[in-house]
Amino acid sequence: MGGPIWRDHTFFFLSYEGLRQRQGLTITSEVPTTAQRAAVTDPIIQKLLLLIPTSNDASGTQFNGSATAPVNIDQFTGDFSHTLTQSDTLHFFYAWQQDKRIEPLLQGDTIPNFGDHRTAHRQIGTLVETHIFSPSVVNEARLGFNRIAISFSPQFTADPVSYGINDGVTTGIGLPQIQVAAAGLTLGGPAQFPQGRFDTTGIFSDTLNYLKGKHSFKFGGEFRRFINDNFNSDTGFIRFNTMTNFLNDQASFFSVTPGNRPSRIFVNAGGLFAQDGYKATSRLNLELGFRFDWNGTPTEAENRFVVFDAPTSSLIQQGTNGLNVVYNQNYNFEPRVGFAYDLTGRGTTELRGGYGMQADQPVANLVSGLASNPPFAIPVSTTSATTLADAFAVAGASASLSPASVQRNFRNAIVQTYNLNLQQQLPARMTLSIGYYGSKGSHLRIQRNINQPVSGVKPFPALAAGSSIRPGAGLGTIAEGDSTSYSNYNGLWTTVTKSFSNNLEFNANYQFTRSMDVNSLSSQGFNLQDNYNLAGNYGPSDFDVRNRFSMSGVYSLPITSNRLVSGWQLSTVAQLQTGNPFTILTTSGLNGTGVGVRPDQLVSSGSIRTSRALAGNGNVQFIAPAICYTATPGCEFASDGKHFGNSQRGALYGPGFETVDLSLVKNTMVHNSVTFQLRFDAFNALNHANLGQPISTFAVGANSVSAGAFGQINSTRFPVGDSGSSRQLQLAAKILF
């Protein structure tokens, strides 16, 4: 709803949008058999089995069911513009959103009644003043803020003590997240929940536009103030290698940080830029630019940041022992250049290229974990054999603190992007574009365990006697965030576009690309096999797609006899792409983190066959469970858990993705300014099954390996109800006025 408030001066627009979604998610997970359940004697496991659904497939090992993911969203917006004078205008925009939802599977749980419940309130507001000094000089000043308050809580809340679980948690926040690695079964938790954050960002920016002859200048800058309030608790995490291990309560890894750990983080940042668009000739345009960014080092309101200082083997609290900042300030210099050249002078063939360097400001979770170190919290972990009944005691007895830290010379991530493309006008109002696009990332964020054992000995077995915090305490993993990771991307993009003519318009795009990196998500936690050998983790990015084709088009049916039969449109969106890479892993705890250790690959990746044949439990057996403890004929992957394997990260690729959406639209003009629209949409109209990634971890025991559900796919790429899952049909009506 909108209109004038003061004619020719003040205008407004108000809107409301609501969403109520009740989405069913398909769940498939391995569960204990009836015979296995009957043989359990451990009282804790007996209680946990009551939370795990029984098998309901022919094999007796699989549960097939569903969970509900309700979503409630309400959003309001207000938009106001006011003309002060002929030279000055004001524009104000404000949006408020409330979001409530349940995510039963998003945090890794694989059976119903777990996952998390989350609520969020989001606000954004901007005030812009535009002043015209002259026809060639215009200034825009902007004041804005962004606010988000979001909390995450376990959907299943229980006091672990009532189950006999000793994980250091004595309140009803939830059970520890329990993973049965080889079986692909996860329940409880989620780990690191409940948690929440309240983020507020304020920004002031100013941009001056100046036209002078062949030059179009822009000068400006901005200042940002970020405030991040957090609360963090932890249900804990415990891993069992196999289903047999779980039923016998024989865990291989445990970690928890008991208690609530609040923090209040402040970050200041600023930037300046200058840009010149220069029309060198009638056929050549140049773009030159430079930006300077200062991304300030975060501080904590009560100096609750504590870091591990490797040279002294000590924990140091910010504000003491000369530690004024947890890492050095970052100053970034970022040039940009580009050109566009009309090769023929007729505007039909154009060559374009560009280069730019951008710095990325780290998000707050790089340092928020520093407030969870002693003396404010006691994070512990153990890779020793343990049980649910004594996990916290075992971790405590080993005195294995697991502090978080950050590299003292941490640097902002830098991404250099470059491209060269040729655009050619074709007959029938079509345009062909062929281009090379590339990027190189350096100083990217990664998390490393700097206390990985070397020949069985930890570099930092304990805090030094001179440490001002917990002197002499034993050390387990030390999770240090550093900026030593890197990436690169190279791609050939081809696009054909047809503007609307003869009732048809379309856009078709093909990409042949390759993305490589050391870790694909900066905040994903540990993923290195060998924390001292980053190059050994270099491989295809988790999101790498070598071939991708997409097309969208609209065809207006040439029926124009009267308004009742005219106005029909057919449209489609098609996407086809090859799969994403996945990594073969084992449950070995060789690197001290319990994740990331790969086996030896005994055959080439090209000779490992994939299949869509069904296993006995109804899953898709994508790759054969050809695993062994030591290399034997017919085996494809071997691991004794005592050395780092030669299998590359991302060595194999999962199933591709194919979907075709169709729409039929009827527009009927009711009045000169009123149109009634009726549309029918079929998403994934062919109902093609787009499979998810296979379970790619197998268990390593004392002298044997266990496949479990290794190599099997038990889910689709996206949850049912999301785009690209099962066929979704929609009928909608609109009145446009």
Side-chain angles (χ1 to χ4, degrees):
M1 178 177 66
I5 299 176
W6 179 8
R7 187 175 180 182
D8 297 330
H9 284 80
T10 308
F11 300 87
F12 79 99
F13 179 81
L14 302 175
S15 73
Y16 165 78
E17 181 176 344
L19 172 67
R20 300 294 183 269
Q21 177 177 292
R22 299 299 179 263
Q23 179 177 337
L25 305 180
T26 300
I27 291 179
T28 300
S29 179
E30 183 174 334
V31 294
T33 66
T34 302
Q36 287 174 324
R37 290 171 180 267
V40 170
T41 58
D42 185 284
I44 298 177
I45 302 300
Q46 287 176 338
K47 291 181 179 180
L48 292 176
L49 287 175
L50 299 176
L51 306 177
I52 302 174
T54 57
S55 62
N56 56 8
D57 77 324
S59 71
T61 64
Q62 202 82 3
F63 169 75
N64 300 306
S66 63
T68 303
V71 177
N72 294 339
I73 298 177
D74 296 286
Q75 179 174 298
F76 299 88
T77 64
D79 200 321
F80 300 86
S81 61
H82 177 67
T83 301
L84 297 171
T85 68
Q86 288 185 344
S87 300
D88 292 277
T89 59
L90 281 176
H91 178 248
F92 174 72
F93 175 80
Y94 175 77
W96 178 91
Q97 183 190 80
Q98 176 178 274
D99 185 338
K100 297 180 180 179
R101 63 182 65 205
I102 293 176
E103 295 289 356
L105 305 177
L106 200 58
Q107 301 302 322
D109 289 313
T110 60
I111 59 176
N113 302 320
F114 294 101
D116 72 272
H117 175 270
R118 55 188 66 183
T119 59
H121 293 86
R122 299 177 178 89
Q123 301 176 70
I124 185 171
T126 60
L127 178 64
V128 181
E129 199 277 339
T130 303
H131 179 74
I132 302 174
F133 290 96
S134 70
S136 60
V137 182
V138 178
N139 187 79
E140 181 181 274
R142 182 182 299 266
L143 185 66
F145 80 95
N146 188 353
R147 166 82 170 169
I148 178 172
I150 186 169
S151 61
F152 306 83
S153 302
Q155 186 180 355
F156 182 82
T157 55
D159 186 346
V161 175
S162 65
Y163 283 76
I165 298 174
N166 177 14
D167 64 349
V169 177
T170 57
T171 57
I173 62 172
L175 300 179
Q177 190 160 34
I178 301 168
Q179 181 189 74
V180 186
L185 169 65
T186 304
L187 67 147
Q192 302 296 329
F193 281 22
Q195 62 168 261
R197 71 180 196 272
F198 306 91
D199 297 347
T200 302
T201 302
I203 182 171
F204 173 75
S205 65
D206 190 88
T207 301
L208 179 70
N209 297 274
Y210 174 45
L211 299 176
K212 179 67 174 177
K214 295 183 178 182
H215 296 270
S216 176
F217 296 105
K218 286 186 178 182
F219 306 96
E222 66 178 16
F223 175 79
R224 302 185 301 276
R225 170 76 164 175
F226 175 69
I227 305 173
N228 170 234
D229 289 291
N230 298 282
F231 70 89
N232 294 274
S233 297
D234 188 8
T235 60
F237 177 82
I238 190 163
R239 177 184 297 113
F240 298 87
N241 288 342
T242 67
M243 185 68 77
T244 300
N245 292 148
F246 169 64
L247 297 174
N248 291 323
D249 196 6
Q250 298 170 340
S252 60
F253 178 81
F254 169 73
S255 67
V256 71
T257 305
N260 182 37
R261 298 100 62 195
S263 61
R264 183 172 172 82
I265 299 171
F266 300 94
V267 186
N268 295 327
L272 298 171
F273 73 89
Q275 181 177 318
D276 178 20
Y278 176 58
K279 191 172 183 62
T281 69
S282 60
R283 296 167 59 181
L284 177 63
N285 292 321
L286 299 175
E287 290 282 347
L288 303 172
F290 180 81
R291 182 178 178 93
F292 167 77
D293 275 311
W294 162 62
N295 291 324
T297 302
T299 59
E300 209 281 330
E302 299 183 22
N303 283 336
R304 284 176 285 205
F305 285 162
V306 176
V307 300
F308 176 76
D309 183 59
T312 62
S313 294
S314 302
L315 290 177
I316 302 177
Q317 184 176 350
Q318 184 176 357
T320 67
N321 297 318
L323 183 69
N324 296 317
V325 292
V326 293
Y327 63 83
N328 298 327
Q329 301 284 346
N330 274 257
Y331 305 97
N332 306 289
F333 303 91
E334 306 151 67
R336 290 113 190 248
V337 62
F339 74 91
Y341 182 59
D342 184 350
L343 293 177
T344 63
R346 298 189 300 272
T348 58
T349 307
E350 190 159 307
L351 182 67
R352 299 179 181 181
Y355 167 85
M357 179 183 291
Q358 297 89 31
D360 181 48
Q361 183 176 2
V363 294
N365 65 8
L366 171 67
V367 296
S368 59
L370 304 182
S372 297
N373 286 333
F376 305 106
I378 310 296
V380 297
S381 67
T382 181
T383 55
S384 301
T386 186
T387 69
L388 287 163
D390 63 3
F392 189 67
V394 169
S398 63
S400 53
L401 295 178
S402 298
S405 194
V406 64
Q407 189 182 32
R408 292 295 298 275
N409 61 343
F410 183 88
R411 298 180 63 180
N412 290 167
I414 298 294
V415 177
Q416 302 175 69
T417 60
Y418 29 86
N419 71 84
L420 182 68
N421 62 85
L422 181 69
Q423 191 175 74
Q424 174 66 50
Q425 183 176 314
L426 301 175
R429 303 193 67 181
M430 292 194 298
T431 302
L432 170 67
S433 177
I434 300 177
Y436 163 76
Y437 297 84
S439 69
K440 177 185 178 182
S442 54
H443 308 303
L444 304 184
R445 178 179 161 192
I446 193 170
Q447 181 172 285
R448 295 192 303 125
N449 174 24
I450 62 172
N451 205 24
Q452 175 181 297
V454 179
S455 300
V457 179
K458 297 175 183 176
F460 308 103
L463 291 172
S467 176
S468 60
I469 301 172
R470 305 271 298 187
L475 291 171
T477 59
I478 301 176
E480 181 177 84
D482 70 29
S483 51
T484 56
S485 188
Y486 50 92
S487 69
N488 63 74
Y489 169 88
N490 295 280
L492 175 67
W493 291 28
T494 303
T495 303
V496 177
T497 302
K498 184 185 186 310
S499 301
F500 186 78
S501 65
N502 298 322
N503 301 317
L504 176 66
E505 61 179 314
F506 66 82
N507 179 284
N509 177 277
Y510 170 72
Q511 301 169 21
F512 176 66
T513 64
R514 185 182 188 187
S515 180
M516 304 283 286
D517 58 27
V518 176
N519 62 312
S520 294
L521 183 62
S522 60
S523 59
Q524 67 185 353
F526 294 120
N527 85 324
L528 292 172
Q529 171 172 250
D530 182 353
N531 288 270
Y532 305 128
N533 179 19
L534 266 69
N537 225 53
Y538 183 71
S541 303
D542 296 347
F543 50 82
D544 180 49
V545 174
R546 295 297 168 88
N547 296 275
R548 186 176 192 276
F549 172 79
S550 62
M551 186 189 73
S552 62
V554 178
Y555 179 67
S556 298
L557 275 65
I559 304 175
T560 58
S561 58
N562 61 66
R563 69 175 64 183
L564 294 179
V565 297
S566 63
W568 288 94
Q569 287 184 336
L570 285 171
S571 62
T572 185
V573 176
Q575 301 177 66
L576 299 92
Q577 69 180 49
T578 53
N580 303 112
F582 64 93
T583 303
I584 304 299
L585 300 171
T586 73
T587 58
S588 169
L590 181 64
N591 58 11
T593 65
V595 296
V597 177
R598 304 189 291 270
D600 288 324
Q601 186 170 319
L602 306 179
V603 297
S604 67
S605 296
S607 63
I608 298 176
R609 295 187 176 183
T610 62
S611 170
R612 296 207 173 197
L614 294 181
N617 57 10
N619 291 341
V620 173
Q621 190 70 56
F622 188 69
I623 59 174
I627 60 174
C628 52
Y629 188 78
T630 57
T632 57
C635 178
E636 295 175 341
F637 300 98
S639 175
D640 59 7
K642 300 175 183 178
H643 69 280
F644 297 129
N646 63 17
S647 180
Q648 183 189 27
R649 170 176 162 263
L652 303 178
Y653 280 75
F657 176 74
E658 303 170 17
T659 184
V660 177
D661 302 336
L662 298 173
S663 296
L664 177 64
V665 179
K666 173 67 170 72
N667 292 303
T668 303
M669 182 177 292
V670 179
H671 191 264
N672 291 337
S673 60
V674 180
T675 300
F676 175 72
Q677 183 184 90
L678 184 68
R679 63 180 301 137
F680 175 75
D681 301 295
F683 304 103
N684 192 3
L686 303 180
N687 203 28
H688 179 77
N690 289 298
L691 301 178
Q693 296 286 62
I695 296 170
S696 56
T697 299
F698 65 87
V700 179
N703 294 292
S704 63
V705 295
S706 175
F710 175 78
Q712 297 182 7
I713 297 175
N714 61 5
S715 65
T716 54
R717 176 181 281 252
F718 301 111
V720 174
D722 285 4
S723 175
S725 61
S726 61
R727 181 191 294 125
Q728 306 290 315
L729 303 178
Q730 174 180 284
L731 181 65
K734 288 183 180 179
I735 297 178
L736 308 174
F737 61 95

